[in-house]
Amino acid sequence: MKLVTKLLSAAALLTASATAMAHPGHTEGGFTSGLLHPMLGLDHLLAMAAIGFWSVRQSKLMKNATPAFVIGGMVFGAALAWGGLSLPGVETGITFSVLVAGILIATLAKLSTAVGGTLVGAFMLFHGFAHGAEMPEGATLAAYLAGFSIATLAITLVGRGLGILMMKADSRFSRGIGGVVAVAGGYLAAA
């Protein structure tokens, strides 16, 4: 149980250090900016980690496909932004993704791969659009894309790792984590 406590403490410190949303400008260059962008916003961190956490209790196909749905949605959303298209309600979509991911965890919801994959892809579309729209001027598109893809995948896999650890514990812990994520999503939506 000490390992779970340490992981939860590390996750809390990581999210607490990121209370400034991921939306200020970055001046580090393409790859570094892309790498940091998902990690510097509580909304992005919570959504990606929560989706990874939730995926652990899904069917084998959904669990294995979740990283592809996450990256696919992110890249497609960023491509929309880079193509000059608009996407209404981006911030609402981002905060809604945190709220719903928390609810999915708290209720131990299992979704079919078609429904779950569509939901994850749609959530990440909003996150990807925000990342794409906030690419620093002068950054190389490929480097920025590589950076935020790596960070996104890493956050999702950390969430999955925590979910795997929590599978061995009482399901009330998972439900509690989901409740906290949902409350955070509600707070972000209200802020």
Side-chain angles (χ1 to χ4, degrees), residues 72-93:
M74 289 285 290
V75 170
F76 187 63
L80 291 176
W82 294 329
L85 300 172
S86 67
L87 182 63
V90 171
E91 290 302 320
T92 302

Side-chain angles (χ1 to χ4, degrees), residues 47-126:
M48 293 166 201
I51 287 169
F53 189 102
W54 168 79
S55 74
V56 170
R57 293 184 183 268
Q58 302 310 300
S59 70
K60 184 176 181 179
L61 178 59
M62 181 63 205
K63 182 171 37 175
N64 291 337
T66 295
F69 291 132
V70 168
I71 294 298
M74 289 285 290
V75 170
F76 187 63
L80 291 176
W82 294 329
L85 300 172
S86 67
L87 182 63
V90 171
E91 290 302 320
T92 302
I94 290 170
T95 56
F96 186 69
S97 72
V98 176
L99 175 66
V100 172
I103 291 169
L104 290 172
I105 294 169
T107 60
L108 304 177
K110 291 188 178 190
L111 302 177
S112 69
T113 302
V115 172
T118 300
L119 192 61
V120 168
F123 286 165
M124 291 300 103
L125 178 81
F126 289 106

Side-chain angles (χ1 to χ4, degrees), residues 121-190:
F123 286 165
M124 291 300 103
L125 178 81
F126 289 106
H127 289 269
F129 190 90
H131 287 24
E134 294 158 6
M135 184 173 84
E137 193 171 318
T140 306
L141 187 137
Y144 185 72
L145 175 65
F148 82 67
S149 295
I150 290 168
T152 296
L153 188 57
I155 295 166
T156 303
L157 293 177
V158 166
R160 179 179 282 184
L162 183 57
I164 290 168
L165 282 173
M166 298 310 291
M167 287 279 290
K168 298 173 184 170
D170 189 320
S171 66
R172 290 179 291 183
F173 291 117
S174 291
R175 289 179 185 272
I177 289 171
V180 169
V181 172
V183 167
Y187 172 78
L188 291 171

